[in-house]
Amino acid sequence: MFAVVLTLPIVLCAGLGTSRQIPSAILNFLNFARHKSATRASHEPPFNGGSETMRMTGWAAAIAMALGALPAAAAPAPRQPKLIVAISVDQFALTLYQRYRPTYTGGLARLSQGLSFTGYQSHAATETCPGHSTILTGDHPATTGIVANVWYDRATGKSVYCVSVPGADADARGPQNMHVDTLGSWLKAAQPGARVYAISGKDRAAITMGGKHADGVWWWLDGTGFSTSSYAGPATPAVTGPADTFNQATMAAWKASAPALWPEAPAACRALEKPYTFGPVARSGKVPPEQSLGLEPGGKDFLNELHSSPLFDTLVLDFARATIDREHLGHGPATDLLALSFSATDYVGHRFGNGGAEMCTQVAALDATLGALFAKLDSLHVPYVVVLTADHGGHDAAERLRGTGVDAERVDSGHLLEELTAAMRARFGLPDLAMKGEDAQQIFITGVADPAARAQIRAAAIAWLKARPEVFAVHTPEEIAATPMPVGKPVETLTLLQRYRESYDPLRSGDIAVEFRNHTSLYMPKAPADMIAGHGTPWDEDRRVPILFWWPGVKPARPGVAETVDIAPTLAAVAEIKAPKVDGKCLVSVARKCPR
């Protein structure tokens, strides 16, 4: 970071030419940013290990914003493009994108030549459903209502999946739990001829991006292929028929010639093929992974390995290309929207971590997959705009991080909840008491109805948790709710409570919010297929994501910091439609004109 600051004058002068002076507006901005970084430490608590990190992060943002402010840095996006493609790459952390950026030759290379923002999913609940709910709504999870993948309904005593449908059968899926609408609905209201489609490997990704008025929403369902639900959008033959045809053709092709789940590792990735032991489970680190070889296509073992392989993204690509052709996207009377979420990076990150040859190979495959998508878009010969981001970031497995000198640890989250439940039962003599949660970051007190007893149990549980060395902090709903929403505050400077506030809902959030130390892996694998790494924390590894805009003719620029909630209002301005009042802001460096 110091090298960036010290070489800034050289970089700026080189960009402007020796015969030109640095614009006074940029110098004034940098002086202001330097003043703010120098004074911020005395007013705000540290995060990510200390206030110095925060000050240097602020400097990096200021520099990036100043560089993006240079004259003629980027041509505006085309007015009312015929097609907008919004892409989410699940668990595509900013650090992961940057790590392999020099190696890109396909779609990621093209996106890197557009407008590259330092992006944030600014909230604490860095999970798939909350993160996807921000991208095309323009709202934080506290506003969308999607504050977790799963929450506990205190009224019914049951767990609620984020895209389950209240009152419907258990397999029904739809956006009914979302409190807000998406860009697709805004488009269709303003331009009746607009069409909206969403495709993903995961139901919760396709549904939260597609919104409440999509023309077609599909996700992969093992044993079936691409599927939909009448609660997610139309389930007429015009929607289900093409999926059935694609699925049958895919299964037939697999039977005729078994597909490779993994390609051979690129030369740049082979150096990372090293064995590790994660918890009690040993992994060879080889690509292709041994367990992915020699499987019967379409069989149970094959499908178990499919999700955490590059082939999973290829399926989304192929179905997206078929949808573009079938629906003649980009050739209608209005702006069409295609929302895509590629899920394999998330499954690979969970299964193998993001620091080994497996993730290196997955990112190379993703680059090629996106390159093929761009080739299809180019062939349409229409003006189009693409944005790529992620629902959250991710961190590598604790054991590999420790090998690089990082203070990391592995915690058995499930066992911790069991210990906490046993301790509270023993203390209060309540055999039905249970402390529940998808993991130990959001804990619900169950089996006790009396408010006074619940308050006593919560106080005792908080004291128990605070005494654990792996726990960084513990928060109550009252603390979080009393924290004002950080409107207008630079996202990189949010306090931890402010991050929690952005993903808090009084009816859906837990009774106790637990914040583990940074670089903690909250998984304890017991078998080769179990998860070893992931996300879900309020720390920056899980919050920081790329936000990349590209269109034909765009000039490369790095305008600075943006949030995923800024994407929807920006795309609305590009399409020249009115967005409702949302948490995000329109990015003027992308749109020709942002509403006041």
Side-chain angles (χ1 to χ4, degrees):
M1 298 299 293
F2 283 105
V4 173
V5 175
L6 290 172
T7 60
L8 175 63
I10 298 173
V11 172
L12 286 174
C13 290
L16 292 170
T18 56
S19 62
R20 298 173 60 187
Q21 293 184 340
I22 299 172
S24 60
I26 295 178
L27 287 175
N28 291 339
F29 180 85
L30 290 175
N31 287 332
F32 169 76
R34 181 174 60 186
H35 169 73
K36 291 293 286 184
S37 67
T39 59
R40 185 181 293 148
S42 63
H43 298 289
E44 295 181 2
F47 72 100
N48 275 17
S51 59
E52 183 62 25
T53 301
M54 180 172 66
R55 292 199 301 274
M56 296 313 296
T57 302
W59 253 111
I63 292 166
M65 291 177 69
L67 287 172
L70 290 173
R79 296 181 59 184
Q80 292 189 324
K82 298 299 291 181
L83 178 61
I84 293 173
V85 181
I87 301 170
S88 171
V89 177
D90 206 318
Q91 204 185 137
F92 198 36
L94 180 64
T95 51
L96 182 59
Y97 161 73
Q98 292 173 334
R99 184 185 309 158
Y100 295 110
R101 185 169 179 168
T103 69
Y104 300 148
T105 59
L108 289 171
R110 187 184 295 203
L111 284 159
S112 299
Q113 292 301 307
L115 299 190
S116 302
F117 290 87
T118 297
Y120 281 84
Q121 288 276 6
S122 57
H123 52 269
T126 51
E127 296 181 337
T128 296
C129 216
H132 276 94
S133 81
T134 70
I135 295 171
L136 291 181
T137 64
D139 286 318
H140 298 301
T143 305
T144 70
I146 306 299
V147 295
N149 287 342
V150 179
W151 57 83
Y152 181 77
D153 187 330
R154 297 175 178 87
T156 63
K158 297 180 180 179
S159 293
V160 177
Y161 181 44
C162 60
V163 291
S164 62
V165 179
D169 65 86
D171 294 329
R173 296 289 182 263
Q176 285 73 17
N177 291 319
M178 288 179 63
H179 297 328
V180 297
D181 232 325
T182 59
L183 173 66
S185 295
W186 312 343
L187 268 173
K188 292 173 74 69
Q191 302 177 11
R195 296 164 300 165
V196 178
Y197 295 95
I199 304 168
S200 176
K202 295 183 181 181
D203 53 7
R204 56 187 179 270
I207 290 168
T208 50
M209 292 183 76
K212 299 181 179 182
H213 300 96
D215 296 283
V217 182
W218 299 274
W219 55 89
W220 182 265
L221 186 64
D222 283 348
T224 299
F226 283 103
S227 183
T228 192
S229 167
S230 61
Y231 294 95
T236 62
V239 174
T240 60
D244 292 342
T245 299
F246 179 90
N247 297 336
Q248 292 166 9
T250 298
M251 299 302 174
W254 285 357
K255 288 183 178 180
S257 178
L261 290 165
W262 287 82
E264 292 296 322
C269 301
R270 286 199 288 270
L272 299 173
E273 290 184 316
K274 298 177 181 179
Y276 273 92
T277 298
F278 302 104
V281 176
R283 299 270 178 83
S284 71
K286 293 185 177 299
V287 176
E290 295 91 335
Q291 65 268 28
S292 70
L293 301 174
L295 303 177
E296 179 186 355
K300 181 180 178 181
D301 292 338
F302 177 90
L303 293 174
N304 286 340
E305 295 297 324
L306 170 64
H307 294 246
S308 52
S309 77
L311 181 61
F312 200 39
D313 283 345
T314 303
L315 291 170
V316 173
L317 165 69
D318 290 343
F319 192 59
R321 291 191 292 193
T323 301
I324 291 169
D325 289 340
R326 182 182 67 253
E327 304 299 336
H328 305 290
L329 294 185
H331 292 280
T335 299
D336 294 328
L337 172 64
L338 177 63
L340 302 174
S341 179
F342 293 96
S343 307
T345 302
D346 184 66
Y347 286 109
V348 171
H350 280 303
R351 174 82 73 88
F352 303 104
N354 70 22
E358 302 95 342
M359 184 60 83
C360 179
T361 303
Q362 161 58 22
V363 172
L366 173 68
D367 181 35
T369 294
L370 293 173
L373 175 62
F374 271 111
K376 169 55 68 178
L377 298 176
D378 290 343
S379 73
L380 302 179
H381 303 293
V382 298
Y384 68 88
V385 173
V386 175
V387 61
L388 180 144
T389 189
D391 54 343
H392 51 73
H395 49 269
D396 197 15
E399 293 82 358
R400 192 155 41 212
L401 287 174
R402 283 200 299 267
T404 66
V406 174
D407 182 14
E409 63 182 322
R410 181 171 298 282
V411 172
D412 189 337
S413 182
H415 182 64
L416 186 143
L417 283 173
E418 292 172 358
E419 286 186 84
L420 176 58
T421 295
M424 295 302 103
R425 284 177 177 174
R427 176 165 177 173
F428 293 96
L430 297 171
D432 294 331
L433 166 64
M435 313 298 283
K436 293 185 177 180
E438 281 294 289
D439 55 41
Q441 295 183 98
Q442 286 285 330
I443 299 177
F444 295 85
I445 301 169
T446 69
V448 180
D450 180 63
R454 288 174 60 85
Q456 290 180 327
I457 293 166
R458 189 179 71 172
I462 288 173
W464 188 91
L465 288 162
K466 285 183 175 181
R468 301 284 297 209
E470 64 267 51
V471 172
F472 182 84
V474 184
H475 306 291
T476 66
E478 292 80 7
E479 286 180 283
I480 297 169
T483 301
M485 288 286 281
V487 178
K489 187 174 182 181
V491 63
E492 67 273 23
T493 69
L494 297 192
T495 66
L496 289 162
L497 271 174
Q498 288 171 331
R499 301 175 197 187
Y500 277 100
R501 181 64 184 87
E502 288 191 340
S503 51
Y504 170 74
D505 182 282
L507 297 179
R508 296 175 176 178
S509 295
D511 298 307
I512 304 171
V514 182
E515 185 181 320
F516 289 88
R517 293 174 59 226
N518 200 3
H519 309 300
T520 297
S521 295
L522 294 174
Y523 310 89
M524 186 58 68
K526 297 177 175 61
D530 289 349
M531 295 189 292
I532 66 167
H535 50 86
T537 78
W539 301 110
D540 273 358
E541 288 90 342
D542 291 349
R543 295 172 70 229
R544 282 161 47 99
V545 296
I547 298 179
L548 312 173
F549 287 88
W550 191 93
W551 56 86
V554 66
K555 295 182 180 179
R558 300 184 185 181
V561 176
E563 300 180 56
T564 54
V565 294
D566 299 334
I567 293 171
T570 300
L571 292 175
V574 168
E576 298 188 348
I577 64 169
K578 184 178 180 180
K581 181 177 175 56
V582 294
D583 295 331
K585 63 183 181 299
C586 174
L587 300 170
V588 70
S589 54
V590 177
R592 287 177 177 269
K593 184 179 180 182
C594 287
R596 295 182 178 180

